[in-house]
Amino acid sequence: MRAMSDVSPPPEPFTAQTGPAALEDLRSRLRATRWPDTPEDAGWSLGTDIAYLRELVAYWADGFDWPAQEAALARLPHFRVPLGGLGIHFVHARAAAPTAPTAPVLPLVLSHGWPDSFWRYAKVIPLLTDPGAHGADPADAFDVVVPDMPGYGYSDRPSGPPLDSIAVAGLWARLMSVLGYPRFGAAGGDMGSHVSRYLGLDHPDRVVAVHRTDAGLPLFTGDPADLAPEERAWLEGTVAWGATEGAYAAVHRTKPQTAAFGLTDSPAGLAAWIVEKLRAWSDCDGDVERSFTKDEILTNVTLYWLTATIGSTMRMYRANAAIPPAQLARRVEVPSGFSLFPGDILRPPRAWLERTANVVRETEPAPAGRRSAPRRVGAGRHPAPRRHGRHRGELDHRLRRVRADHRERKLELASSSAFDGVASESWISTFISGMSSLP
């Protein structure tokens, strides 16, 4: 799986280093926050709760240890490479040395969404690359590639029009070529779900399979009578959700620069914009810290602050809004799997999944954020996937074994984001089905 080469310049190692002046400026701004008035007992009903944000900002200014978080993230293998006129940052973690040197290793490209970056998958990476170190079969290891989308994290910001998910999928296909991977699996959620979808649509000869944690916002231009009742109910539900929860997306699509002025200048404002979504989109029963610790929240927000990328990340919504409906209506024919969490904001029915993709696997992982069975990012013990198979003749047997194991016990791989989890068996079953076409 590593025989392919590309004429593009080779990736170069990358290390992020934040100077003391940038951190002192951040702390000064936090301590000088000008707080808005808030109606009594508003809580989270009007947006971010001021009491919680005051608590978070105080910790950010005087308790949060960014250098320690930066050093922890730096333990991952970081690189940058020029692609399409942009410097693209990515993590490239290779599988731990296999016990059988000739065994093929399946590469995976994982695509994040908003408000995110490579950080989303930071705790998933070692579980996928070195399952043996976490009590599972070492033969189940993957090579893992996690890029920052253009305008996110440590990737360059487009100076012209923002890139849409189709263009980003094309960049990822080129990136995998540069890294020597002719075939690979793709996985993601939120915007990363769209990017993974277009990888499967536009590069079916290279993508073994696609795994997604959502089906995106629906688009149907036909006769509603042709839809199943549960599909019509879901479409109506998405309209209702947009009316009550979709204001942020409307701003991102239409006037992202207006919001970018304030959010780029005020770290408290930036935190308010992001943390309200983390709370709303995680299965936390209203307490965001049941899904994310303060350090996790602030690591994510600090990445946005230090890279000044809130404006460029929002502009991708505008680009995606301009994608022609004919593109959105295409059906993914490569093997596709879905992990749909019970607390997710827009859960598509099975009929819709099958209408839009070649579904070989669908799972419903247990709820995230429950204290009785901790599933906070990285918490507890995370069994690794079942092995993806070494020879074509073994694939069907292994797929049956994985499915039988699933009936006996649901093995879940924790996500690095509580609102975009990953069920390991769904991933592996999806990629097993796709690998049936490998030589």
Side-chain angles (χ1 to χ4, degrees):
M1 300 291 291
R2 297 176 180 167
M4 196 170 185
S5 63
D6 195 277
V7 296
S8 298
E12 296 184 356
F14 170 79
T15 302
Q17 293 182 324
T18 304
L23 294 180
E24 185 53 41
D25 174 69
L26 170 59
R27 295 188 184 103
S28 296
R29 290 170 182 263
L30 290 167
R31 293 168 185 147
T33 297
R34 186 183 184 190
W35 296 98
D37 69 292
T38 304
E40 292 183 5
D41 302 322
W44 294 87
S45 65
L46 302 177
T48 301
D49 176 40
I50 191 170
Y52 179 76
L53 191 64
R54 281 183 178 274
E55 176 186 327
L56 186 69
V57 165
Y59 178 69
W60 197 4
D62 296 309
F64 178 63
D65 189 348
W66 169 250
Q69 299 297 327
E70 188 175 52
L73 292 174
R75 288 194 284 270
L76 296 169
H78 294 260
F79 301 88
R80 274 175 54 98
V81 66
L83 290 174
L86 296 169
I88 299 298
H89 163 259
F90 62 99
V91 172
H92 184 200
R94 294 190 181 270
T99 54
T102 60
V105 174
L106 178 65
L108 303 178
V109 58
L110 309 183
S111 297
H112 64 77
W114 185 92
D116 263 313
S117 64
F118 76 94
W119 170 85
R120 167 180 294 220
Y121 294 111
K123 291 187 179 179
V124 170
I125 292 170
L127 304 181
L128 291 172
T129 58
D130 193 6
H134 301 274
D137 191 339
D140 294 339
F142 296 85
D143 284 0
V144 177
V145 179
V146 186
D148 275 335
M149 292 192 197
Y152 286 73
Y154 298 118
S155 286
D156 286 354
R157 297 185 289 265
S159 58
L163 276 64
D164 62 21
S165 294
I166 300 174
V168 173
L171 287 181
W172 286 188
R174 290 180 59 187
L175 173 62
M176 298 303 276
S177 294
V178 170
L179 298 179
Y181 296 126
R183 301 293 304 279
F184 55 91
D190 190 64
M191 281 191 183
S193 174
H194 291 269
V195 171
S196 299
R197 174 178 176 270
Y198 285 113
L199 276 168
L201 286 169
D202 294 342
H203 306 276
D205 57 325
R206 299 188 59 196
V207 176
V208 171
V210 174
H211 187 275
R212 301 159 64 190
T213 54
D214 60 75
L217 291 174
L219 174 72
F220 185 74
T221 58
D223 185 349
D226 294 334
L227 296 172
E230 61 271 25
E231 290 179 294
R232 288 195 295 271
W234 183 56
L235 290 171
E236 293 169 359
T238 61
V239 173
W241 178 86
T244 58
E245 296 289 337
Y248 81 98
V251 171
H252 290 196
R253 287 193 307 269
T254 59
K255 298 295 186 288
Q257 281 304 107
T258 300
F261 285 107
L263 302 181
T264 304
D265 187 63
S266 168
L270 177 66
W273 195 255
I274 290 177
V275 75
E276 191 266 325
K277 294 308 166 196
L278 297 183
R279 176 184 177 272
W281 296 343
S282 61
D283 186 12
C284 67
D285 288 336
D287 179 2
V288 66
E289 291 188 26
R290 294 185 67 180
S291 294
F292 301 90
T293 66
K294 281 188 174 66
D295 281 350
E296 288 162 351
I297 293 169
L298 293 176
T299 296
N300 188 21
V301 176
T302 303
L303 277 168
Y304 270 82
W305 175 259
L306 293 174
T307 57
T309 50
I310 188 62
S312 54
T313 63
M314 293 190 297
R315 289 195 293 271
M316 191 173 176
Y317 279 72
R318 187 176 182 88
N320 281 337
I323 293 176
Q327 288 282 358
L328 301 175
R330 296 166 68 192
R331 186 175 190 267
V332 180
E333 299 298 341
V334 301
S336 299
F338 292 86
S339 292
L340 304 176
F341 281 72
D344 206 353
I345 53 179
L346 294 171
R347 283 176 48 83
R350 176 72 183 219
W352 182 265
L353 297 181
E354 293 180 344
R355 183 183 299 276
T356 58
N358 173 21
V359 182
V360 299
R361 188 72 170 169
E362 178 192 357
T363 58
E364 181 180 295
R370 304 297 188 191
R371 293 195 186 276
S372 58
R375 296 187 184 277
R376 178 177 288 158
V377 180
R381 186 181 180 191
H382 307 294
R386 291 290 174 186
R387 100 178 37 183
H388 49 72
R390 295 188 176 88
H391 305 288
R392 182 182 302 181
E394 296 179 343
L395 291 173
D396 289 340
H397 167 72
R398 293 188 184 280
L399 181 56
R400 288 193 297 270
R401 188 185 72 182
V402 170
R403 286 174 174 164
D405 287 348
H406 178 73
R407 287 192 294 269
E408 295 174 8
R409 60 191 178 109
K410 291 182 178 178
L411 304 181
E412 289 151 19
L413 180 62
S415 166
S416 63
S417 168
F419 61 87
D420 188 5
V422 178
S424 64
E425 285 190 284
S426 182
W427 279 46
I428 300 308
S429 296
T430 302
F431 294 127
I432 288 173
S433 298
M435 285 183 70
S436 63
S437 62
L438 292 178

